[in-house]
Amino acid sequence: MPANTWWKNGIVYQIYPRSFQDSNGDGVGDLRGIASRLDYLVDLGINAVWISPIFPSPMADFGYDVSDYCGIHPLFGSMEDFDHLIAEVHRRGLKLILDFVPNHSSDRHPWFKESRSSRNNPKRDWYIWRDPKPDGSPPNNWVSNFGGSAWQFDEATGQYYYHAFLKEQPDLNWRNPELRQAMHNVLRFWLDKGVDGFRVDVIWHLIKDAQFRDNPRNPAWHPDRPEIESLLQVHSNDQEEVHDVIAGMRRILDEYKDRVLIGEIYLPTDRLVTYYGKDLSGAHLPFNFQLIQAAWNARAISHLVNEYEAALPEGAWPNWVLGNHDQPRIAARIGAEQARVAAMLLLTLRGTPTMYYGDEIGLPRVEIPPNRVQDPWEKNEPGLGFGRDPARTPMQWDGSTFAGFSTVQPWLPLGPDHEHDNVEALSRDSGSILSLYRQLIRLRRSTPELAIGDYHPIPTESPAFAFLRTYGEGRRVVVLNVSGEPTAAKLVSVPDGLRVKLSTYLDRVGEAVGVNVALRPNEGLVLG
Ligand code: GLC
């Protein structure tokens, strides 16, 4: 695979379609809306767009409960709107990545309706059905990711079905060859339409323990944590056989030219990297969420980056993610000042960066009044603070009443400062986080050292994190002050004659620096 493949040297941008742009005045974003904002994305400089699910769905989990894998939900538009979108994306030289949700369907999917209709139905085995224990209780102790038992009793046929998420999201049985075949056809359907790849939802969940053994208790669990963490997920996910399933999907993509397979995986580094597959026959990019979960200090970040780099199999291409529709907004987690440092980190590390819409304008955590809660997780386990609505609020385009997102009250509230924190206002401000993102992206794209070069750690003293990127003779040094205090980073073994290429404060360009680099609070520098 040449180093200049788009998914290696490009930048992925995630759109949560309900919240990007409403074009028909119903308060929910849609495909025509996305198409109307593509020039913004071109101007921002990203290369590929991943859109969360747009398929027909009862919306129990906002599209992650699919009732037709080959259709478009009318809320988002029509198949014609989709064809229009993909044509417009490609016309601009961008790529389009869809969300593939193969672990579970909606309980309204015709497959599940058939499956639950009788024990003898040919599609019975497309889902996971088990007898109750003799006392009538669920087959094992597995817990749903959204709380409560992961088993739902079905009166009509006297068995339980398994659902790793909502009971409206029954898990599909990937051990069944017919199901696999049907899902491969879904991939082909979209690939034939020209889709450039898939982000595969909860890919590490696809295969469960063949014997459905109980998961062990997690001794470290505390009741203020989600119930799913009360058990160690030893048997319910990350099973060896999953790698065959993923290689099977990968073979379908490989029948086409230059497509990408991205896997959603929340696992420790040593397990995560196994998802590249045997001889790299798995996901091209097993999503690396470590920056989302990291303690935000130089020591922790430097440790996780170096550990990840060291763990990558030969030939595997790294990737980094700062936020997504399931996680707290980065600006809320580490603060608006450090969010600028995080942007520089994401866009200078070795590996494909995935940005989450709105992070480039510093969207905060938006408080959701109780009567406007949408997320089923928040409804199931209220008050723990794990609800995902605060990170799914509408994109803020301008200072108008509904921020240019819609002409009516949006499905989730806008941020409190949307009159100021919007694309239009921040574009006019040459020191804004949006201006920083634009410059970082431009710099990455025009600098092979940053886009595809090698990575070498540079030891420094806390609270700075530094590294070197090299490509041929070229050198770039990145120094990040991961704290709110001024500091001087003493860099050992770095090239002479370094000058500032970019500061997170968007000044100092051209300034000469020596081995002792003075950093202001929350300042990151690219030197070269
Ligand atoms: C993934 C999605 C999340 C969804 C879950 C179940 O983690 O990102 O939004 O709720 O899978 O499909």
Side-chain angles (χ1 to χ4, degrees):
M1 189 67 70
N4 59 3
T5 309
W6 65 271
W7 54 263
K8 286 190 174 177
N9 64 17
I11 297 163
V12 179
Y13 183 96
Q14 180 190 356
I15 288 179
Y16 195 64
R18 297 181 73 91
S19 293
F20 202 58
Q21 178 65 55
D22 174 17
S23 75
N24 64 350
D26 62 0
V28 177
D30 46 49
L31 297 180
R32 289 270 162 189
I34 296 172
S36 74
R37 293 296 187 182
L38 291 176
D39 289 335
Y40 164 75
L41 298 177
V42 171
D43 182 54
L44 185 60
I46 59 92
N47 311 74
V49 179
W50 150 37
I51 41 181
S52 286
I54 48 171
F55 318 108
S57 161
M59 295 285 170
D61 190 20
F62 294 104
Y64 285 96
D65 48 323
V66 179
S67 54
D68 173 4
Y69 285 100
C70 297
I72 300 292
H73 195 300
L75 193 63
F76 298 124
S78 61
M79 194 55 89
E80 210 185 340
D81 295 330
F82 177 79
D83 292 338
H84 168 75
L85 175 64
I86 194 166
E88 290 297 307
V89 165
H90 286 161
R91 196 162 68 78
R92 288 168 176 80
L94 303 177
K95 304 284 185 182
L96 187 67
I97 299 169
L98 286 190
D99 214 312
F100 181 48
V101 191
N103 179 66
H104 42 265
S105 72
S106 161
D107 62 346
R108 313 276 177 81
H109 195 294
W111 296 345
F112 188 68
K113 289 185 183 166
E114 282 189 50
S115 184
R116 83 187 313 175
S117 67
S118 87
R119 289 197 187 199
N120 309 325
N121 185 277
K123 292 206 172 56
R124 184 67 169 181
D125 187 50
W126 285 32
Y127 292 83
I128 297 170
W129 294 96
R130 288 288 176 282
D131 287 332
K133 283 192 177 155
D135 66 357
S137 62
N140 67 19
N141 71 349
W142 295 1
V143 165
S144 154
N145 281 265
F146 294 141
S149 170
W151 295 95
Q152 178 69 20
F153 188 64
D154 191 58
E155 293 286 347
T157 55
Q159 285 189 311
Y160 282 90
Y161 66 84
Y162 175 66
H163 57 92
F165 294 87
L166 298 174
K167 67 178 187 333
E168 293 84 0
Q169 295 169 295
D171 277 47
L172 288 153
N173 178 15
W174 275 83
R175 294 183 189 267
N176 180 299
E178 286 174 23
L179 180 273
R180 276 194 203 194
Q181 194 56 48
M183 281 302 206
H184 288 173
N185 290 341
V186 171
L187 293 175
R188 288 198 180 93
F189 174 84
W190 294 108
L191 291 165
D192 287 341
K193 278 193 169 286
V195 161
D196 299 289
F198 299 95
R199 170 269 190 190
V200 184
D201 193 58
V202 296
I203 203 168
W204 85 112
H205 274 260
L206 294 179
I207 294 283
K208 334 332 168 167
D209 178 37
Q211 300 166 53
F212 285 84
R213 284 168 285 184
D214 276 355
N215 276 325
R217 300 238 148 249
N218 175 6
W221 183 70
H222 189 270
D224 64 4
R225 297 294 304 164
E227 192 186 352
I228 183 69
E229 294 177 13
S230 66
L231 301 176
L232 300 170
Q233 307 297 306
V234 174
H235 300 302
S236 44
N237 60 46
D238 191 29
Q239 304 296 298
E240 188 52 39
E241 301 99 307
V242 77
H243 298 292
D244 286 343
V245 172
I246 300 171
M249 290 181 191
R250 173 66 185 274
R251 279 194 294 275
I252 309 294
L253 270 80
D254 287 347
E255 291 168 12
Y256 298 76
K257 198 168 160 274
D258 227 8
R259 313 295 165 102
V260 71
L261 188 67
I262 304 176
E264 185 204 20
I265 301 150
Y266 286 91
L267 286 174
T269 309
D270 58 330
R271 299 300 313 153
L272 174 67
V273 296
T274 65
Y275 283 74
Y276 285 100
K278 188 166 174 291
D279 302 325
L280 304 183
S281 62
H284 294 106
L285 303 174
F287 259 153
N288 168 15
F289 295 130
Q290 295 183 80
L291 293 178
I292 288 180
Q293 295 160 329
W296 202 257
N297 62 68
R299 187 189 298 252
I301 293 171
S302 119
H303 177 74
L304 74 86
V305 173
N306 295 332
E307 190 188 59
Y308 176 65
E309 279 281 346
L312 287 169
E314 180 75 32
W317 186 250
N319 77 90
W320 297 95
V321 186
L322 267 187
N324 63 38
H325 64 291
D326 295 325
Q327 302 294 335
R329 282 277 177 194
I330 183 77
R333 191 163 79 80
I334 63 174
E337 289 86 7
Q338 275 297 311
R340 297 174 73 113
V341 175
M344 184 172 275
L345 178 64
L346 176 72
L347 291 159
T348 57
L349 279 172
R350 187 176 84 100
T352 308
T354 298
M355 293 171 54
Y356 183 48
Y357 86 95
D359 281 351
E360 76 275 26
I361 57 168
L363 270 191
R365 173 191 163 84
V366 178
E367 287 309 323
I368 311 294
N371 63 348
R372 293 197 63 185
V373 167
Q374 302 273 355
D375 183 17
W377 192 1
E378 179 64 26
K379 290 181 180 170
N380 274 4
E381 296 190 276
L384 289 182
F386 296 105
R388 300 167 296 176
D389 295 332
R392 295 176 173 180
T393 60
M395 185 63 175
Q396 300 175 175
W397 297 101
D398 61 37
S400 63
T401 315
F402 299 116
F405 166 74
S406 180
T407 50
V408 300
Q409 183 70 47
W411 75 292
L412 281 175
L414 294 161
D417 298 321
H418 63 91
E419 283 92 351
H420 308 107
D421 294 343
N422 60 67
V423 169
E424 201 177 82
L426 298 180
S427 294
R428 281 196 303 267
D429 173 356
S430 60
S432 71
I433 185 161
L434 179 56
S435 300
L436 172 62
Y437 262 98
R438 285 202 169 109
Q439 292 206 30
L440 277 167
I441 292 171
R442 201 160 303 150
L443 186 64
R444 182 179 180 96
R445 289 189 62 169
S446 60
T447 312
E449 293 88 330
L450 297 179
I452 51 173
D454 293 339
Y455 166 89
H456 313 271
I458 303 177
T460 54
E461 280 123 52
S462 244
F465 170 47
F467 55 92
L468 175 69
R469 302 290 313 277
T470 61
Y471 183 77
E473 296 298 300
R475 301 277 179 273
R476 288 291 180 274
V477 172
V478 180
V479 199
L480 305 168
N481 182 358
V482 194
S483 85
E485 303 297 322
T487 190
K490 192 165 191 271
L491 307 177
V492 285
S493 66
V494 292
D496 293 336
L498 289 176
R499 287 180 182 277
V500 174
K501 294 280 180 196
L502 187 61
S503 159
T504 48
Y505 288 92
L506 296 165
D507 53 11
R508 291 182 79 173
V509 174
E511 192 183 303
V513 291
V515 288
N516 276 309
V517 186
L519 292 163
R520 288 169 283 177
N522 308 299
E523 181 171 35
L525 296 173
V526 179
L527 311 171

